[in-house]
Amino acid sequence: MGSGSELLMRRRAVKALIALIPLLLAVPVHADWQLDPGQSQVQASITQLDGNAPQTHHHQVNNLQGDISADGTLRLPLRLSQTDLLTRFGDLPPWVGLLANTTLVTLIAQMPPERLDGLDIGESMVETLTFRVQTDLINQEESVPLRFTREGLNEVRVTHAEPMAMDGRALMANSTVRTVLSLLGYQEIDEHVPVTLNALLVNR
């Protein structure tokens, strides 16, 4: 009797689990969101001040990589190899190649993933994220209004909700960035560096 009763209970437990599977699949869970490098880029416009007249040049930062952890921490490391700066050199000095994968700066912000999970397809929201710029020499904060638009079940487009810019003085304070810009002919740049963001967050 005991073994028969135990077998019946196991069967009921298995049936209960099978019945729960559709429910578990239907319940929204907090996703781990990450940037799609192939569809995430930034354009920065740098105005050179050390010539006869100010000249503005446009530069790309491609293959943005970063993710939002379960606790809502967004980390966005930026490396020299993600920029178009290297392609503007002729013959690269060997040490520049060694720096290609060096992280120039890391941007850190808080973005509750449940806010993204709660967006319906086609719905947008604006969140002002406070980014911290972390390097060995710089510890700076900047508030950036961003627009998040859900384009699909697992895709959220990120653009800037208002015009945004980087601090040229902070860029020149980074020794690696300053050295690379100097090699490109930038000795002095405008403190206002407009930035255009177009990125895609995907649900792993």
Side-chain angles (χ1 to χ4, degrees):
M1 288 290 292
S3 60
S5 176
E6 183 177 344
L7 182 59
L8 181 61
M9 291 180 64
R10 286 181 179 175
R11 286 178 177 173
R12 287 177 176 172
V14 170
K15 286 183 179 180
L17 286 174
I18 292 174
L20 277 174
I21 288 175
L23 293 175
L24 292 173
L25 293 176
V27 173
V29 296
H30 293 318
D32 290 328
W33 294 92
Q34 64 180 3
L35 287 170
D36 180 348
Q39 300 190 62
S40 301
Q41 59 276 325
V42 166
Q43 178 176 285
S45 300
I46 301 177
T47 299
Q48 184 175 4
L49 299 179
D50 45 282
N52 293 328
Q55 293 185 351
T56 300
H57 306 276
H58 304 290
H59 297 278
Q60 296 280 346
V61 181
N62 299 305
N63 300 314
L64 295 180
Q65 300 175 29
D67 54 36
I68 302 175
S69 63
D71 67 356
T73 301
L74 169 62
R75 291 181 180 274
L76 181 61
L78 299 177
R79 298 178 176 86
L80 186 60
S81 58
Q82 293 171 261
T83 73
D84 63 354
L85 297 178
L86 295 181
T87 63
R88 295 173 183 251
F89 288 107
D91 295 326
L92 286 174
W95 62 267
V96 174
L98 294 175
L99 288 175
N101 289 316
T102 300
T103 299
L104 301 178
V105 296
T106 299
L107 305 180
I108 300 176
Q110 291 298 126
M111 175 65 204
E114 58 268 20
R115 297 298 303 275
L116 298 178
D117 298 336
L119 281 175
D120 292 328
I121 294 177
E123 183 181 4
S124 295
M125 69 175 182
V126 174
E127 288 276 325
T128 298
L129 303 188
T130 300
F131 282 93
R132 286 184 290 121
V133 181
Q134 283 193 342
T135 69
D136 293 338
L137 300 175
I138 305 172
N139 190 4
Q140 178 184 338
E141 290 190 353
E142 191 76 31
S143 294
V144 181
L146 297 177
R147 177 172 285 104
F148 297 85
T149 304
R150 191 153 202 160
E151 295 186 341
L153 185 61
N154 298 314
E155 297 90 26
V156 172
R157 179 71 56 185
V158 186
T159 56
H160 49 87
E162 298 176 5
M164 65 183 195
M166 293 186 295
D167 187 339
R169 293 168 299 185
L171 291 175
M172 295 300 277
N174 182 294
S175 59
T176 303
V177 175
R178 184 175 64 252
T179 299
V180 172
L181 291 178
S182 296
L183 287 171
L184 289 171
Y186 294 107
Q187 300 301 323
E188 183 182 358
I189 65 174
D190 193 283
E191 64 183 39
H192 187 72
V193 181
V195 172
T196 302
L197 169 68
N198 188 352
L200 185 69
L201 282 167
V202 294
N203 175 346
R204 288 175 183 172

